Amino acid sequence: MPPTPSELRAAGRDWLGNLAKRYPLQRRLYLVPGICNEDAQMWDTIWHWGMLSIPNWADYVERIRFETLTARDDFRDFGDHVRGLIAARYPYDPTHQVGEFDVVCYSMGGLDAFAAMVDLRATPVAPAHGMAKAFHFITLDTPFGGVPNWALRRSFPDMTGRPDRQTQCDALAPDSPQLRTLRGARGVLAGVAERIVCYSAGGDSAVQVPLESSNLCYDAPAASLWGAAPTYDSHLIPGASHAGESAIFDNEYLIASVFGQLLFGR
């Protein structure tokens, strides 16, 4: 029988503990939060394990926060902010086309990072030069195809009285113009990232982000979008939910897998 979600989480904890601060990060890592996570505290569990497991974690990892961002109608505005922060340290250099940093993103944070790398306002869509090329672009239950409950989500207590969050929800509708443009621009990632990994939550009792939405290449083979590079992988995390008590960002099996990608490329 396959391992249960609890057994997988226990195996993840064991694997993380066995790292024992022997393997440092080779690139700076940016953690990009989702909608309603402007303070980035949802990264506390991954931060805890990073401090215990990776020797240079505190020096090499930055939580991107959006608390001071005022222009935030949708994920493209957040993308502008992410691009500016990363470009301050890693500016674009057309003669240096290797990945210089990693990004791990939760939920809408993956859309923010996509918009940081790709200019979704341009016609035709093009790379959003300003910051250097990413090495890893890793997403945790990011709704590349939108969310079915976007209209209901607008009425939640953390959304009411916040016009900015209302427009952010509108952009998460599966047929929103912003997401249609994003999906049509997936091929542009070939020039702005080296490895793409998408994780999906497999334990939601009520669907929040459909599996086909969180898998960037659900409807098209990666090779048909950008050829041999970037490389692409997708993974389902059993028992994990988008948020709440079993949130994917708190799942030790997921965290171990992400650390394996960052440290060992697998």
Side-chain angles (χ1 to χ4, degrees):
M1 294 180 62
T4 66
S6 294
E7 289 170 339
L8 289 173
R9 293 187 71 167
R13 289 191 291 271
D14 289 343
W15 188 89
L16 290 165
N18 287 333
L19 286 178
K21 292 191 173 183
R22 290 177 293 167
Y23 308 102
L25 293 169
Q26 299 302 307
R27 292 168 298 276
R28 190 167 188 83
L29 169 63
Y30 293 91
L31 303 176
V32 188
I35 191 172
C36 304
N37 305 122
E38 289 99 333
D39 61 6
Q41 289 185 6
M42 41 76 50
W43 294 117
D44 283 355
T45 302
I46 197 171
W47 193 273
H48 165 78
W49 282 110
M51 291 293 291
L52 287 177
S53 306
I54 298 175
N56 59 348
W57 180 269
D59 294 328
Y60 268 56
V61 183
E62 178 178 342
R63 303 194 217 199
I64 290 182
R65 294 175 167 84
F66 297 120
E67 294 158 303
T68 61
L69 185 60
T70 54
R72 47 187 174 186
D73 288 341
D74 58 53
F75 57 81
R76 296 172 302 177
D77 299 304
F78 287 81
D80 293 340
H81 185 68
V82 171
R83 187 186 315 118
L85 286 174
I86 296 178
R89 183 181 292 267
Y90 300 105
Y92 175 68
D93 181 350
T95 67
H96 192 62
Q97 286 298 294
V98 297
E100 298 191 39
F101 58 89
D102 296 322
V103 286
V104 174
C105 318
Y106 166 63
S107 192
M108 197 180 79
L111 306 180
D112 302 340
F114 192 115
M117 295 185 286
V118 179
D119 186 356
L120 299 175
R121 296 187 179 95
T123 305
V125 174
H129 292 317
M131 69 180 190
K133 187 176 186 178
F135 193 88
H136 284 100
F137 172 37
I138 299 175
T139 63
L140 316 183
D141 223 32
T142 286
F144 294 106
V147 294
N149 67 344
W150 67 274
L152 177 63
R153 188 72 177 85
R154 286 168 52 100
S155 65
F156 284 18
D158 59 357
M159 291 287 180
T160 56
R162 290 287 302 269
D164 59 324
R165 288 184 178 173
Q166 296 288 308
T167 56
Q168 291 167 39
C169 271
D170 292 343
L172 298 180
D175 61 347
S176 74
Q178 297 95 323
L179 284 180
R180 288 201 304 269
T181 300
L182 183 149
R183 290 192 294 271
R186 289 176 293 178
V188 182
L189 291 173
V192 297
E194 293 196 23
R195 298 189 73 234
I196 300 173
V197 185
C198 294
Y199 291 93
S200 301
D204 277 323
S205 55
V207 174
Q208 298 190 61
V209 179
L211 297 181
E212 64 270 21
S213 180
S214 57
N215 183 339
L216 184 61
C217 295
Y218 179 82
D219 61 341
S224 71
L225 292 172
W226 49 68
T231 60
Y232 180 76
D233 287 298
S234 62
H235 303 278
L236 182 71
I237 304 302
S241 59
H242 184 75
E245 292 184 1
S246 300
I248 190 169
F249 51 77
D250 286 333
N251 186 290
E252 297 90 347
Y253 178 64
L254 173 281
I255 295 170
S257 183
V258 169
F259 284 11
Q261 301 286 352
L262 297 172
L263 295 173
F264 312 116
R266 53 179 174 80

